[in-house]
Each structure stands twice: as structure tokens, then as C-alpha cells.
Amino acid sequence: MKRLLATALLGALSLTACAQAPQSQAAQTQGQAKAPANSSAADAKVRAALSKLNPDVSVEYIGVAPLPGFREVIAGGQLVYISDDGRYLVQGAVVDLQRENRDLMRDSAALAKFRQKLIDTVPVSDRIVFAPPNPKYTVTVFTDIECGYCRKLHSEIAELNRQGIAVQYMAFPRMGLGSKDHQDMISVWCASDRRRALTNAKGGGSIERRDCKNPVSMEYNIGQRIGVDGTPAIFTADGTQLGGYLPPGNLRLALDQWAEGKGGQ
């Protein structure tokens, strides 16, 4: 995956198993830093600093960070804090010791909202869905048919459904556009029975070559824009990334904890 900023400074945010914005809601939470007196000047300095790192950088969002003296920035689907004067860049965990050791970067409302907005542009009809009746939770999973952990997750799809979890797959051919992986995923998405074709492909079965108008490239590009660099990548309904592969019981627990956290906000 192409890095939009210097690799040494911006690593992958997503916790994946097979390697490859609106105003932040955090601004309304307790302990949120206030905007500098001249926000536009701070934003300009932040943009200049990012441009110096990489002139082609794509900046999707700049807003007030919960860390005093810093701006919250989403670039290339990744989150960093940059000081208002454009001098310092912070990436990784930023822990608030007065708020139950909360990791502010992991819990960024702006990043989740950015991801949610892009994911929601893909209609359910363009996804491959495995869902129980009246699911408790629905997750979006960027998947690849070759990835071992994607295959493992899919082998447990019945148990995920029994746990009340609906899985909506979106295509992320990790070998890139134009690859055999990419063409095979097009063939799956063009099958008359996508669910059966996907299950067959993830089981190592032969893939009948097909072509049609399909969303595979679009879904791959959306995955790149929200920072997916490997598969599987699992997202909740509000754009929070839960990580890569999780066993069914662990995924249900993570979703319960996510829902509890949402209720407490």
C-alpha cells in the first residue's frame, strides 16, 4: 500500500492479520483542549509541515486535538497529532491518565466518523453479507480470498452468526489492483451466488473467471483511504476498528465492550 507520509512517521493504524471529516466529537468531551486563538494559522502551519514530509500528502481533516497545543490530523486514513506551530508530530498511543488511562488516538471520534462516512458510501447490495435473523451487531470486514486469517474468520462465519454478529464483506485484494487476486475477487463478486462463490474461494476451490460491473476496485480504494493495509480489517457500525482476526467469542466480547463504551459517552 502506498504510504502518503514518511513511513518512519506514519505506520499502519489498523491491526490486521495479513499484511498489506466532520468536526471531532472529542472536542465536546471533558478535558478537550481549546482551539488556538488563530485556528486558521495553526492549520496552515500543520499543512506546511505535512507538505514538507510529502508534497503529495492527502489531508482529509484537521481539527482540535484533545492534547493541548496540538491539532488532530487525518491523512491517508491515519491519525496523528501535530503541534500548532508545526514542529512536533505525535503518532501512536496518547494516554490520558486522568480518564481511566484512555488512549485518545485509538478512541478518536473524528477518525471513526471519517471511516464511517466512507464505508457508508457502499450500498449493502455491493457487499457480500452473512447475517443471522435480527443480528445484535453488524460489522464491516475488508477481506481478501488468499489471506489465511480471512479464511479462518470465514470458516467460523456460522458461529459468528450464532453469536448475533452479521458480517458484511467488502473487497480488499491485498496484492493490489490488476493482480490475479484482484481478478479472482471480481469473479467472486460477479457470481450469481456471491456467498457460495466466496465460501468456495476461501476454501481453496477453483474460481470460474467472470467479469461484470462490480464494486471491487471501489471498495479497495475506500479501504486504502481509511487506512486498511492488511486483511481482515473489522469495523463497527460507527467506524471504530476492532482489529484484524478475532475468534467469534472474542469478537462478541469486543463488540459488547464497544457498545458499553458508546452508551457511557
Side-chain angles (χ1 to χ4, degrees):
M1 174 181 175
K2 178 182 177 183
R3 297 294 184 194
L4 298 181
L5 294 180
T7 302
L9 293 174
L10 288 179
L13 287 180
S14 58
L15 302 176
T16 50
C18 299
Q20 172 66 13
Q23 174 63 36
S24 170
Q25 295 177 15
Q28 302 174 12
T29 63
Q30 181 180 1
Q32 171 66 48
K34 295 181 179 180
N38 190 339
S39 296
S40 60
D43 289 355
K45 290 178 180 179
V46 166
R47 290 184 182 276
L50 291 171
S51 181
K52 188 175 181 180
L53 280 176
N54 184 339
D56 297 323
V57 63
S58 174
V59 179
E60 289 92 3
Y61 167 79
I62 300 178
V64 181
L67 187 65
F70 282 77
R71 306 295 281 168
E72 184 177 47
V73 181
I74 300 173
Q78 300 178 66
L79 177 72
V80 295
Y81 292 164
I82 298 180
S83 58
D84 294 339
D85 61 5
R87 180 174 179 178
Y88 300 104
L89 183 149
V90 176
Q91 180 189 9
V94 176
V95 179
D96 188 338
L97 300 179
Q98 294 184 356
R99 298 184 64 198
E100 299 180 344
N101 297 335
R102 180 179 179 183
D103 184 343
L104 301 178
M105 300 192 86
R106 181 196 63 198
D107 296 337
S108 169
L111 181 59
K113 190 68 175 178
F114 169 74
R115 291 168 171 166
Q116 178 192 20
K117 184 177 180 180
L118 284 176
I119 290 172
D120 286 351
T121 63
V122 180
V124 174
S125 61
D126 281 341
R127 311 180 190 198
I128 299 181
V129 179
F130 292 80
N134 304 312
K136 173 73 173 179
Y137 300 111
T138 297
V139 295
T140 298
V141 179
F142 285 84
T143 193
D144 176 84
I145 60 176
E146 297 292 337
C147 166
Y149 277 100
C150 295
R151 292 183 171 188
K152 182 171 177 59
L153 184 146
H154 191 67
S155 72
E156 299 166 339
I157 199 74
E159 178 59 26
L160 287 167
N161 287 171
R162 279 193 290 270
Q163 293 274 354
I165 302 169
V167 175
Q168 298 186 353
Y169 283 121
M170 289 173 60
F172 193 86
R174 59 195 178 93
M175 301 305 292
L177 301 182
S179 65
K180 180 180 182 300
D181 188 25
H182 177 218
Q183 182 55 57
D184 285 346
M185 295 196 77
I186 289 175
S187 296
V188 167
W189 254 256
C190 289
S192 57
D193 187 339
R194 292 177 177 176
R195 287 161 47 101
R196 182 175 180 179
L198 183 65
T199 298
N200 176 67
K202 285 179 179 283
S206 61
I207 301 173
E208 181 182 346
R209 186 69 175 263
R210 304 179 182 89
D211 200 4
C212 66
K213 183 179 180 180
N214 65 85
V216 172
S217 296
M218 175 188 66
E219 292 177 1
Y220 174 80
N221 288 330
I222 287 175
Q224 285 198 312
R225 288 185 65 189
I226 65 173
V228 174
D229 69 345
T231 51
I234 303 173
F235 295 87
T236 65
D238 75 341
T240 298
Q241 184 170 4
L242 296 181
Y245 168 77
L246 290 171
N250 291 18
L251 180 55
R252 175 58 194 257
L253 177 61
L255 285 165
D256 287 342
Q257 292 174 339
W258 164 76
E260 182 180 353
K262 292 292 292 181
Q265 289 181 359

